[in-house]
Amino acid sequence: MDTRAHVFQIDPNTKKNWVPTSKHAVTVSYFYDSTRNVYRIISLDGTKAIINSTISPNMTFTKTSQKFGQWADSRANTVYGLGFSSERHLAKFADKFAECKEAARLAKEKSLEKMGLANSPSQESVPGDIQSPMTPESINGTGDELGVPDLTPNSESQSEPSPNTQTFTHSPAITKHWEAELAALKGNNAKLTAALLESTGNVKQWKQQLAAYQEEAERLHKRVTELECMSGQTNVIKSQKTELNQTIEELETALKAKEEEMEQLKVEVEKVNRLQEQKDSLAWKLQETDDRSKELQTQLANLEQRLEASQVEQETFRKDLKTLLEVLDGKIFELTELRDNLAKLIMGS
């Protein structure tokens, strides 16, 4: 399967920012290595290999937005990120990743079964790749083509806000409340990110310890076999074998403890993902509130203009009415004088 995407790698210094490894979209392919019975993700930028990642059962491909996904490669000691042109291409790549991961798991189980037949049942294989836990908080890609989530709300899906002044009065308080929640989530997210990055620094040391445990178990197993072949020291061999078995059990217990720690780290990564989703939702609501506030401000300005125009019309009407009343008073005064004059004439005649 081939697809085209923009390729990124995590900054090895900050472990937070993405560094583009290709200037434009390049071909990213899944490749089956028949000689080693493994699946690889390969990408070339000209003649330079910018991705050469072997898929292991412990790897996880995470969709951090509608067009962006990432996975950690502990062998390469980095995190790869891919920005796709559409959500459909991202979904196809994720499905193929899951198929290859399942195939790698089945191949590993088969190899472990073969090793179990060749080795003693007391020897337990050490888990393979340990995935380096990273947080989606480190994503800072830009542009729709790179798959960064768009926080701008869809204007068609918004309902028309009611133009009343009470909603406009309370909207700043709601905005401050959401900003406070968003700041709190950012603080918690930063704390979890720091804890996970600190745990990431211990992964390499754990892998070295696991390799040392495996070598020690193999050496002890060979020693047990040699002691069993010796015929004259049965009692000594039994006591040494018991001690060696106890040592092996202690090593197995230590391995299980490391696996439990890795499971806890995975749970924390899921928590960070949920916090990121909550942060995106609050940011979307904050943007929607700002838009509604702007619309209400526009409506209020229009109402103020209309009120001012109405007041001007009323003032003009008052002036015209006052003028009319003055004229009417003058006419009434003239009629009164005329009535008095007529009365005098009548009385005089």
Side-chain angles (χ1 to χ4, degrees):
M1 173 188 171
D2 294 340
T3 187
R4 293 186 66 82
H6 289 263
V7 180
F8 298 85
Q9 285 189 16
I10 203 70
D11 190 342
N13 296 323
T14 63
K15 297 293 184 181
K16 292 183 179 180
N17 300 323
W18 289 109
V19 178
T21 57
S22 61
K23 296 181 180 180
H24 50 79
V26 296
T27 301
V28 182
S29 307
Y30 283 95
F31 172 72
Y32 175 67
D33 189 350
S34 58
T35 59
R36 298 185 179 181
N37 194 24
V38 294
Y39 288 87
R40 297 179 182 274
I41 300 177
I42 304 295
S43 180
L44 299 177
D45 188 5
T47 58
K48 179 183 178 182
I50 56 178
I51 297 180
N52 184 8
S53 178
T54 301
I55 300 176
S56 67
N58 292 331
M59 283 185 178
T60 301
F61 183 80
T62 305
K63 298 178 183 179
T64 57
S65 68
Q66 293 182 347
K67 299 179 183 179
F68 196 92
Q70 67 180 59
W71 76 96
D73 189 341
S74 58
R75 294 182 179 178
N77 194 23
T78 187
V79 179
Y80 293 103
L82 296 179
F84 296 88
S85 59
S86 67
E87 186 176 0
R88 180 174 58 87
H89 290 88
L90 173 60
K92 286 184 177 180
F93 186 89
D95 292 341
K96 186 63 177 178
F97 192 97
E99 293 177 5
C100 295
K101 176 182 175 180
E102 180 65 18
R105 185 185 66 81
L106 295 175
K108 183 176 181 180
E109 288 180 354
K110 290 181 180 180
S111 63
L112 290 177
E113 289 176 359
K114 293 179 181 180
M115 290 176 62
L117 294 175
N119 297 331
S120 171
S122 62
Q123 181 180 1
E124 180 178 344
S125 61
V126 180
D129 293 338
I130 298 176
Q131 182 178 353
S132 176
M134 297 302 296
T135 62
E137 190 67 21
S138 60
I139 298 173
N140 65 347
T142 57
D144 293 338
E145 189 178 7
L146 302 184
V148 177
D150 189 3
L151 298 179
T152 303
N154 189 353
S155 60
E156 296 180 357
S157 65
Q158 293 179 349
S159 60
E160 184 69 18
S162 175
N164 68 55
T165 58
Q166 185 176 2
T167 304
F168 174 75
T169 304
H170 291 288
S171 60
I174 298 174
T175 302
K176 292 181 179 179
H177 174 68
W178 285 344
E179 287 177 346
E181 289 187 358
L182 187 60
L185 284 174
K186 286 182 178 180
N188 293 334
N189 208 353
K191 293 179 181 178
L192 287 174
T193 302
L196 290 176
L197 290 177
E198 182 179 359
S199 300
T200 303
N202 297 328
V203 169
K204 187 175 181 180
Q205 182 179 359
W206 292 346
K207 289 181 66 177
Q208 294 175 352
Q209 290 178 356
L210 291 175
Y213 291 158
Q214 185 180 22
E215 294 176 358
E216 180 67 13
E218 292 176 355
R219 187 185 67 80
L220 294 175
H221 177 70
K222 292 179 180 179
R223 181 60 179 167
V224 169
T225 305
E226 293 174 359
L227 292 174
E228 288 177 346
C229 294
M230 298 173 63
S231 59
Q233 301 177 356
T234 306
N235 294 331
V236 177
I237 289 173
K238 287 182 179 180
S239 62
Q240 290 181 352
K241 184 178 180 180
T242 302
E243 294 176 357
L244 293 175
N245 288 334
Q246 291 178 354
T247 304
I248 291 174
E249 289 177 358
E250 292 175 356
L251 292 175
E252 291 175 352
T253 303
L255 289 176
K256 290 181 180 179
K258 295 300 181 183
E259 290 176 354
E260 291 176 355
E261 290 180 0
M262 291 304 300
E263 291 296 329
Q264 292 177 357
L265 289 176
K266 289 180 180 179
V267 171
E268 290 186 0
V269 169
E270 292 176 357
K271 289 181 180 179
V272 171
N273 289 335
R274 288 195 296 269
L275 288 174
Q276 179 67 24
E277 292 175 357
Q278 292 178 1
K279 187 188 77 172
D280 294 340
S281 176
L282 287 175
W284 184 87
K285 289 180 181 179
L286 182 61
Q287 181 65 35
E288 183 181 13
T289 303
D290 291 338
D291 294 340
R292 291 179 62 185
S293 297
K294 291 178 181 178
E295 291 177 2
L296 290 174
Q297 288 176 354
T298 302
Q299 292 179 1
L300 182 60
N302 293 335
L303 290 175
E304 290 176 350
Q305 291 178 357
R306 291 171 59 184
L307 179 60
E308 185 178 354
S310 176
Q311 291 176 350
V312 171
E313 291 177 359
Q314 289 180 0
E315 186 66 22
T316 304
F317 179 76
R318 286 196 189 96
K319 290 180 180 179
D320 294 338
L321 183 60
K322 185 176 181 181
T323 303
L324 180 62
L325 288 174
E326 291 175 354
V327 173
L328 184 59
D329 289 338
K331 296 296 182 183
I332 291 173
F333 180 78
E334 290 176 0
L335 288 174
T336 302
E337 288 182 348
L338 180 61
R339 182 179 63 80
D340 294 335
N341 292 330
L342 288 175
K344 290 178 179 180
L345 289 175
I346 292 172
M347 292 176 65
S349 61

